[in-house]
């Protein structure tokens, strides 16, 4: 009886998450197609550490941007050891809009390397719009203009264009879609964006567009100096300062492969997952139990149950797969590919892997073993 009740509850929750994913697919803002040029000055800030392979591709994309005649690009090589600075200069090809800087200083105590680099870049920028990009992002020619247009059209303090998350391996295809799914299946985004509640703020640090005055009024990167998820915490800081923030699906305009292999993916998630749910192990345990109930119990019931129990489990499993595919469609801007369908069918394995990484992250934090790119990271 307990298992039957759990299967019913899990199926109901999976159905609700699928409905939310469908709502968000229909309503989440998207970056607009190319239109009138953005006439105000825009500065793109790129912190880069050991990005010799990826950064030149982004520089090439930025040189090809259209619709932003007053574009400026600042790149900070953050003590790289692989020739990132030289690669960036070669890719810039003397473009006067692009400035490449080098810093060999370690971040101040209590700062992550990325936050310190972004803060320095922001100090050097004197334009009304700031764009922060990670080196692994690829851009269509009109991406920057589209993002700034959306920022201004909606009167936002911060806009987070969500890049299409690429996957180059089965493990990435299993786990990376969880990023967009995590909010698309749990939060009515456009409704939440009407207010300033910090608990519903979203952000993707790979691509952030901000009104410079709002960014500085909120405290800039100084207020997220030690944050493992500076993107979300920046959005929260701007909301506390009275500025609206939003996310936009940017699939046709921006894409990224965040990690190169399974080891890098595990290390990347381990670096920050501990900070989810306020950094509380008890909250993470509660969310893990709810996730197991919703996405593991129904497929298990479909597999081992009989009669109505099997049907309930099958309905719950189908709802979970549907919700994941809807979220993936929001992410990519296209119909699901066969790989997307296969990874969605393996969704119970994905959430199990997510829970394993959450446990690993909390354990690393407790042991003061958190690091990223050969630097120890603050753990709050």
């Amino acid at each position: 009886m307990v298992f039957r009740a759990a299967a019913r509850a899990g199926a109901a929750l999976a159905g609700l998450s699928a409905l939310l994913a469908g709502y968000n697919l229909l309503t989440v803002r998207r970056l607009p197609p190319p239109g009138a040029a953005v006439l105000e000055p825009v500065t793109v800030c790129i912190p880069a550490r050991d990005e010799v392979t990826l950064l030149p591709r982004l520089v090439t994309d930025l040189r090809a941007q259209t619709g932003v005649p007053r574009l400026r690009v600042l790149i900070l090589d953050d003590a790289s050891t692989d020739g990132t600075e030289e690669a960036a200069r070669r890719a810039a090809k003397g473009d006067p809009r692009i400035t490449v800087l080098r810093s060999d200083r370690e971040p101040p105590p209590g700062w992550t390397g990325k936050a310190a680099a972004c803060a320095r870049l922001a100090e050097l920028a004197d334009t009304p719009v700031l764009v922060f990009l990670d080196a692994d992002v690829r851009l269509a020619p009109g991406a920057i203009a589209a993002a700034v247009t959306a920022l201004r059209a909606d009167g936002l303090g911060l806009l987070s264009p969500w890049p299409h998350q690429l996957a180059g391996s089965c493990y990435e295809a299993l786990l990376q879609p969880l990023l967009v799914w995590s909010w698309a299946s749990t939060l009515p985004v456009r409704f939440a964006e009407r207010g300033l509640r910090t608990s519903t703020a979203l952000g993707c640090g790979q691509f952030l567009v901000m009104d410079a005055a709002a960014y500085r009024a909120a405290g800039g990167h100084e207020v997220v100096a030690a944050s493992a998820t500076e993107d979300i915490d920046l959005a929260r800081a701007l909301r506390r300062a009275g500025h609206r923030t939003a996310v936009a699906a940017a699939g046709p305009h921006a894409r990224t492969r965040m990690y190169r292999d399974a080891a890098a993916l595990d290390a990347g998630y381990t670096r920050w997952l501990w900070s989810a749910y306020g950094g509380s192990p008890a909250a993470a345990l509660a969310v893990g139990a709810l996730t197991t109930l919703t996405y593991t119990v129904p497929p298990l019931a479909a597999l081992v149950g009989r009669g109505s129990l099997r049907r309930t489990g099958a309905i719950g499993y189908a709802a979970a797969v549907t919700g994941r595919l809807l979220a993936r469609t929001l992410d990519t801007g296209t119909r699901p590919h066969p790989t997307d369908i296969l990874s969605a069918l393996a969704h119970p394995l994905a959430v199990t892997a997510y829970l394993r990484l959450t446990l690993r992250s909390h354990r690393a934090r407790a042991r003061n073993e958190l690091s990223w790119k050969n630097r120890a990271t603050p753990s709050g």
Side-chain angles (χ1 to χ4, degrees):
M1 292 296 293
V2 173
F3 184 64
R4 185 180 296 274
R8 288 175 177 170
L13 290 171
L16 178 60
S17 72
L19 288 174
L20 275 172
Y23 165 80
N24 285 322
L25 176 61
L26 294 173
T27 61
V28 164
R29 62 173 44 81
R30 288 164 172 76
L31 292 189
V38 173
L39 299 181
E40 62 183 323
V42 176
T43 299
V44 173
C45 302
I46 307 171
R49 179 173 169 84
D50 293 335
E51 298 287 6
V52 68
T53 301
L54 297 175
L55 181 58
R57 301 173 187 175
L58 174 58
V59 172
T60 299
D61 289 347
L62 288 167
R63 293 184 64 235
Q65 289 300 296
T66 60
V68 274
R70 303 175 72 183
L71 177 69
R72 183 188 183 197
V73 178
L74 298 176
I75 301 169
L76 179 61
D77 177 359
D78 184 15
S80 298
T81 59
D82 64 351
T84 290
E85 179 187 7
E86 295 79 5
R89 293 188 187 279
R90 286 195 300 270
K93 296 183 178 179
D95 192 320
R97 299 172 299 175
I98 301 174
T99 301
V100 181
L101 307 168
R102 165 83 183 185
S103 173
D104 290 313
R105 295 180 298 181
E106 286 300 299
W111 284 70
T112 66
K114 181 177 181 180
C118 287
R120 183 179 176 192
L121 288 166
E123 288 176 356
L124 299 173
D126 58 358
T127 56
V129 179
L130 296 176
V131 178
F132 291 93
L133 282 172
D134 281 359
D136 55 14
V137 175
R138 299 301 307 277
L139 300 173
I144 299 297
V148 176
T149 297
L151 176 84
R152 292 312 197 198
D154 291 333
L156 301 170
L158 175 150
L159 177 70
S160 178
W162 191 277
H164 169 199
Q165 299 291 322
L166 301 173
S169 67
C170 292
Y171 192 55
E172 292 168 73
L174 184 68
L175 284 177
Q176 280 302 96
L178 292 181
L179 290 178
V180 66
W181 169 84
S182 66
W183 54 263
S185 65
T186 57
L187 181 69
V189 175
R190 287 306 291 266
F191 179 80
E193 288 174 350
R194 296 177 184 176
L196 297 175
R197 186 182 297 273
T198 58
S199 61
T200 62
L202 295 172
C204 178
Q206 293 171 300
F207 192 174
L208 292 174
V209 185
M210 283 180 272
D211 176 86
Y215 166 81
R216 294 190 171 94
H221 275 82
E222 184 175 355
V223 297
V224 297
S227 174
T229 51
E230 84 291 335
D231 42 15
I232 295 175
D233 286 336
L234 267 174
R236 289 171 176 163
L238 265 77
R239 286 192 174 188
R240 283 194 294 269
H243 301 282
R244 291 174 54 234
T245 73
V247 67
H253 295 274
R255 65 191 189 279
T256 181
R257 184 181 175 189
M258 188 180 295
Y259 302 110
R260 299 290 101 184
D261 51 41
L265 190 152
D266 278 357
Y269 277 62
T270 299
R271 176 184 62 87
W272 65 266
L273 269 178
W274 67 267
S275 66
Y277 323 116
S280 166
L285 182 63
V287 172
L290 187 63
T291 302
T292 299
L293 172 68
T294 307
Y295 301 108
T296 303
V297 172
L300 183 61
L303 184 65
V304 303
R306 295 182 179 181
S308 62
L309 177 59
R310 173 171 287 182
R311 288 192 294 272
T312 298
I315 292 170
Y317 174 56
V321 171
T322 299
R324 173 153 171 158
L325 288 174
L326 291 170
R328 183 61 172 166
T329 301
L330 172 60
D331 178 41
T332 64
T334 62
R335 293 181 179 179
H337 290 233
T339 301
D340 298 324
I341 296 172
L342 289 174
S343 64
L345 291 172
H347 190 56
L349 296 178
V351 297
T352 300
Y354 162 82
L355 295 176
R356 177 186 68 84
L357 288 172
T358 300
L359 175 62
R360 171 176 162 166
S361 183
H362 277 279
R363 185 169 60 241
R365 184 197 183 197
R367 296 174 178 176
N368 292 318
E369 295 175 349
L370 295 172
S371 66
W372 184 243
K373 293 194 173 184
N374 300 314
R375 277 178 174 158
T377 58
S379 58

